[in-house]
Amino acid sequence: MCGIVGYIGNKPVYDILINGLKKLEYRGYDSSGIMIYNQKPLVKKAKGKVSDLEKLFVNSADKQGYLGIGHTRWATHGPPNQINSHPHTSNSGEITLVHNGIIENYDSIKKILTQKGYVFHSDTDSEVLVNLIEDIKKTKNVKLGKAVYFALKQVIGAYAIVVFDSKNPKEIVGARLGSPLAIGLGDSEYYFGSDATPFLEFTKRCIYLNDNEMFIVNMKKGLTLREIKRDSIIDPYIEELKQNIEEVEKGGYDHFMLKEIFEQPHSIIDTFRGRLLSYNQPISISSLKKHFEEFKNAKRIIFISCGTSWHSSLLAEYYFEELLRIPVEVEYASEFRYRNPVINKGDIVIPISQSGETADTLAAIKMAKEKGAFLYGICNVVGSSIARETHTGVYTHAGSEIGVASTKAFSCQISLLLLMALNLGQKLGTLDQKRYYRIIQELEKLPETIKTVLKSDPIVESISEKYLDAENFLYLGRGYNFPIALEGALKLKEISYIHAEGYPAAEMKHGPIALIDENMPVVVIATRKGNYHKVVSNIMEIKARGGQIIAVVSKGDVEIEKLADHIIEIPDCNELIAPILANIPLQLLSYHIANKKGCNVDQPRNLAKSVTVE
Ligand code: AGP
């Protein structure tokens, strides 16, 4: 986690750093800081948001300069406070560094440096790294680039770093291993960022650093890219970015989360673009076409992921087993990577990730690759580490998702997974043609159907008002709607801090039913197809114990209307499409509860958008 920015060029740097940090706040927001160089480095840091940092710049002279680096933090080593915030400065005051990641062997390096007389002020591993660089620079009598190179050879862990040496103020050095880092190329100017959003408004030309790569940007010599392990110069691959700045702004909504919920019809259009052309044309997903043999011969498919993406994986299990008849397993990446899983030739491993940077998912991919699995990645962020680490895959194209709570990315993941399952099922002959066409026809209309669902927003908002004081929530669903119950509960707890649990509805009587009384709101996803009557029975059981029922039902349902305290209708649809629709009112419910409780919806406490630490 943590966000890094930097700039060297001919523009005043202050606004570039501050605005860049605000765009990266989704990556961490417990403290922030910047260094601006103007004859000498000026470092200012603040606990809290970037807006708290801005308050420290009352004097316009402090803002002057054309070179700087900045950081917004998600604490790993030491509490969020001013001292632990970045940038960190070496003992001589000459070298400044911003770091995203974890240096695992920092303690042993710290001991050695302490014996040499170095003094440490913070609890961070990053302060150790900046002093290690300084020590190497001095003892080996080398320039910053070489010192960074030798230091990185010593450290174990993950990092994206940007480093500056005031002895050579025309140069910035950076490197990555495990944490993302992008370079924006302007006209005799260079931007640095944990992603491209800080410089999107200035340039679309971008280099994404790969693991084990470092750069030296020198205003006289230009950019040099090096591979650290081989210590060789490499040619940069410059990408032309397609993202635009509007995507990363709120566009009139109070929060990114709300904007992203309402963007879903459009996001689904982007996900389906070029893939679902019309119901009488075959689905076209080029990576599936190219690797059809692998899927045809697959003995097993294993989905690996975390959080919301894990819920997508769980729904994928239902879709893929139903439509492909291939055994599927769903694993938390963090568990999968640390046990010794059996992976056989012919197994396909499918990692799913919005950010494409989740550390556990990335490590699980590397492990599965070593064991010989075929890796098919599903990512949202183009060019992300996971997208590059997998053999092939597909992008969800949900667009930038800034709100920490995943909304549109989830909807695009599950819509794409259904499309993939339909495509493969039809080609494998495991799916009845009539059923295929029925689902495809409904899928084609999905963006419009989602617009209809979004019209329920005022109803959901009025329901939310009644539950602001609830301390617990239960979410229940069966079959395809079970992963949605889990996702609904996660969404509520992460942004409103209300404890919520998701369960398969039938599991309720094996324990959770003991919790039900008049103070327990229970959200039940009870769409008409599938196990409808069994869910109705579950609702009766809750009712009998005084629980308050909020039911998501298919339009025209009269049975549940009589039982539930509140109903939210979604259009009647195929049971495989129902979870995609049913999830949307649950996103809105969480949003309104959290917003009315005064919680920070886009940046909930203790969380970050991209979890690049394990
Ligand atoms: C979702 O609302 C969460 N903030 C979180 O669970 C997230 O889905 C998880 O960290 C995985 O992220 P990824 O999809 O970027 O890999």
Side-chain angles (χ1 to χ4, degrees):
M1 359 264 255
C2 303
I4 286 179
V5 292
Y7 176 78
I8 179 168
N10 40 29
K11 291 195 189 104
V13 73
Y14 174 78
D15 284 342
I16 296 174
L17 296 181
I18 289 290
N19 294 335
L21 285 181
K22 283 184 180 164
K23 295 201 176 88
L24 291 180
E25 258 190 327
Y26 74 89
R27 302 182 62 86
Y29 35 80
D30 58 43
S31 53
S32 62
I34 56 177
M35 181 283 294
I36 295 179
Y37 180 80
N38 182 19
Q39 314 292 337
K40 57 180 185 343
L42 172 75
V43 176
K44 282 187 187 271
K45 316 196 246 188
K47 182 173 185 261
K49 296 299 186 64
V50 178
S51 51
D52 296 303
L53 176 67
E54 272 180 299
K55 289 179 199 147
L56 304 181
F57 284 84
V58 274
N59 185 347
S60 70
D62 291 349
K63 298 181 182 175
Q64 307 306 313
Y66 300 91
L67 181 154
I69 57 178
H71 188 271
T72 175
R73 182 168 185 250
W74 186 87
T76 56
H77 293 70
N81 58 29
Q82 203 249 352
I83 292 175
N84 286 332
S85 344
H86 299 222
H88 286 285
T89 305
S90 64
N91 275 194
S92 70
E94 287 166 12
I95 303 177
T96 335
L97 162 142
V98 286
H99 168 219
N100 168 26
I102 289 182
I103 306 299
E104 288 169 15
N105 58 339
Y106 82 104
D107 214 20
S108 54
I109 299 172
K110 192 173 183 175
K111 279 190 189 114
I112 297 166
L113 291 174
T114 309
Q115 278 162 11
K116 287 183 164 192
Y118 282 86
V119 178
F120 295 91
H121 307 281
S122 75
D123 308 312
T124 67
D125 50 345
S126 315
E127 193 190 10
V128 174
L129 181 56
V130 73
N131 281 301
L132 177 65
I133 294 169
E134 169 153 299
D135 188 57
I136 292 172
K137 187 174 169 255
K138 297 219 156 116
T139 48
K140 286 192 188 289
N141 193 20
V142 288
K143 288 191 185 154
L144 181 66
K146 270 282 169 213
V148 168
Y149 166 79
F150 286 123
L152 295 181
K153 287 262 180 191
Q154 286 188 34
V155 303
I156 301 168
Y159 51 78
I161 51 167
V162 178
V163 198
F164 170 73
D165 176 6
S166 59
K167 286 275 177 205
N168 187 4
K170 297 246 171 286
E171 196 170 275
I172 284 193
V173 176
R176 92 156 255 179
L177 177 64
S179 303
L181 193 55
I183 308 172
L185 306 171
D187 247 356
S188 305
E189 55 174 1
Y190 299 86
Y191 302 84
F192 311 100
S194 293
D195 65 32
T197 53
F199 52 79
L200 213 50
E201 60 190 293
F202 305 111
T203 180
K204 295 267 156 91
R205 297 176 68 229
C206 171
I207 299 168
Y208 288 105
L209 244 60
N210 290 310
D211 277 351
N212 286 307
E213 286 179 3
M214 66 175 286
F215 68 80
I216 301 172
V217 162
N218 183 295
M219 289 312 278
K220 283 190 199 133
K221 297 181 194 155
L223 170 90
T224 314
L225 212 56
R226 296 190 82 88
E227 216 284 341
I228 300 174
K229 276 193 181 154
R230 291 194 302 271
D231 192 20
S232 56
I233 293 189
I234 44 175
D235 287 331
Y237 172 67
I238 302 172
E239 287 190 33
E240 207 50 55
L241 299 174
K242 294 199 176 65
Q243 248 178 325
N244 54 50
I245 192 68
E246 293 74 43
E247 277 183 46
V248 293
E249 284 173 351
K250 282 190 202 143
Y253 286 91
D254 287 344
H255 297 99
F256 279 111
M257 183 181 176
L258 193 61
K259 174 185 172 235
E260 286 156 7
I261 291 173
F262 276 88
E263 268 171 359
Q264 290 179 110
H266 188 79
S267 305
I268 300 286
I269 293 175
D270 288 342
T271 302
F272 286 169
R273 180 166 291 122
R275 295 168 177 163
L276 175 58
L277 304 163
S278 78
Y279 89 96
N280 52 10
Q281 285 191 58
I283 295 167
S284 167
I285 300 173
S286 56
S287 52
L288 284 188
K289 198 171 172 188
K290 198 164 159 208
H291 294 279
F292 179 65
E293 285 302 308
E294 277 93 337
F295 280 91
K296 193 173 153 195
N297 299 323
K299 301 271 178 303
R300 190 170 59 141
I301 297 175
I302 307 166
F303 285 91
I304 50 171
S305 40
C306 305
T308 287
S309 294
W310 189 86
H311 298 150
S312 294
S313 302
L314 193 59
L315 187 53
E317 179 181 31
Y318 285 70
Y319 285 157
F320 276 50
E321 288 206 340
E322 168 72 15
L323 303 179
L324 271 66
R325 310 310 301 153
I326 297 176
V328 172
E329 283 172 28
V330 180
E331 297 261 7
Y332 287 109
S334 53
E335 290 298 315
F336 183 75
R337 63 179 285 205
Y338 282 118
R339 60 188 191 83
N340 189 10
V342 177
I343 297 175
N344 298 314
K345 204 171 172 341
D347 284 345
I348 297 181
V349 174
I350 305 188
I352 304 182
S353 174
Q354 187 288 128
S355 63
E357 302 293 346
T358 302
D360 282 320
T361 311
L362 197 52
I365 290 170
K366 288 179 184 162
M367 189 261 270
K369 220 175 176 183
E370 270 167 27
K371 287 179 181 272
F374 173 67
L375 270 305
Y376 185 97
I378 301 180
C379 285
N380 190 37
V381 176
V382 176
S384 56
S385 304
I386 291 175
R388 283 179 291 150
E389 199 61 48
T390 42
H391 293 115
T392 184
V394 63
Y395 284 115
T396 40
H397 292 312
S400 297
E401 191 178 69
I402 308 288
V404 163
S406 187
T407 52
K408 63 175 182 173
F410 176 70
S411 294
C412 291
Q413 283 171 350
I414 57 180
S415 306
L416 179 60
L417 285 160
L418 178 55
L419 197 69
M420 287 171 63
L422 289 165
N423 187 200
L424 289 166
Q426 193 202 29
K427 284 167 93 177
L428 291 168
T430 46
L431 166 60
D432 171 73
Q433 282 296 84
K434 278 195 192 138
R435 189 179 186 198
Y436 170 85
Y437 283 113
R438 271 201 311 271
I439 303 172
I440 284 292
Q441 273 175 318
E442 286 195 34
L443 214 48
E444 252 196 302
K445 295 187 205 122
L446 186 61
E448 284 308 309
T449 324
I450 291 178
K451 280 188 193 162
T452 312
V453 179
L454 287 168
K455 288 189 186 141
S456 66
D457 184 42
I459 297 169
V460 179
E461 185 174 357
S462 70
I463 296 172
S464 74
E465 272 158 20
K466 304 196 165 59
Y467 296 98
L468 303 184
D469 296 326
E471 287 178 2
N472 297 289
F473 259 79
L474 266 185
Y475 283 72
L476 304 176
R478 291 180 87 123
Y480 299 105
N481 288 329
F482 163 50
I484 301 306
L486 296 180
E487 174 60 10
L490 175 66
K491 215 85 308 173
L492 184 71
K493 67 185 139 194
E494 74 177 320
I495 61 168
S496 74
Y497 319 137
I498 296 174
H499 170 246
E501 296 286 343
Y503 272 97
E507 273 295 302
M508 188 183 62
K509 54 187 164 295
H510 299 286
I513 199 164
L515 295 169
I516 293 176
D517 61 14
E518 59 287 356
N519 298 317
M520 176 65 90
V522 186
V523 178
V524 189
I525 306 143
T527 49
R528 196 172 283 130
K529 312 265 162 53
N531 294 309
Y532 175 76
H533 287 291
K534 296 205 182 302
V535 179
V536 173
S537 308
N538 296 137
I539 291 177
M540 285 172 168
E541 289 157 11
I542 302 163
K543 195 77 202 155
R545 284 151 186 90
Q548 300 171 54
I549 297 158
I550 303 163
V552 179
V553 299
S554 307
K555 191 165 177 50
D557 190 305
V558 282
E559 211 167 327
I560 295 177
E561 197 179 18
K562 290 182 217 141
L563 302 167
D565 297 85
H566 313 278
I567 59 158
I568 305 165
E569 288 186 328
I570 61 165
D572 198 9
C573 62
N574 188 287
E575 64 173 323
L576 281 84
I577 292 178
I580 307 174
L581 301 181
N583 180 53
I584 291 166
L586 305 191
Q587 296 172 341
L588 290 166
L589 183 67
S590 303
Y591 170 79
H592 288 301
I593 292 178
N595 189 31
K596 287 179 196 300
K597 281 173 70 101
C599 301
N600 187 335
V601 174
D602 284 333
Q603 295 171 344
R605 70 185 179 205
N606 305 339
L607 288 172
K609 183 70 181 163
S610 120
V611 184
T612 55
V613 293
E614 59 169 291

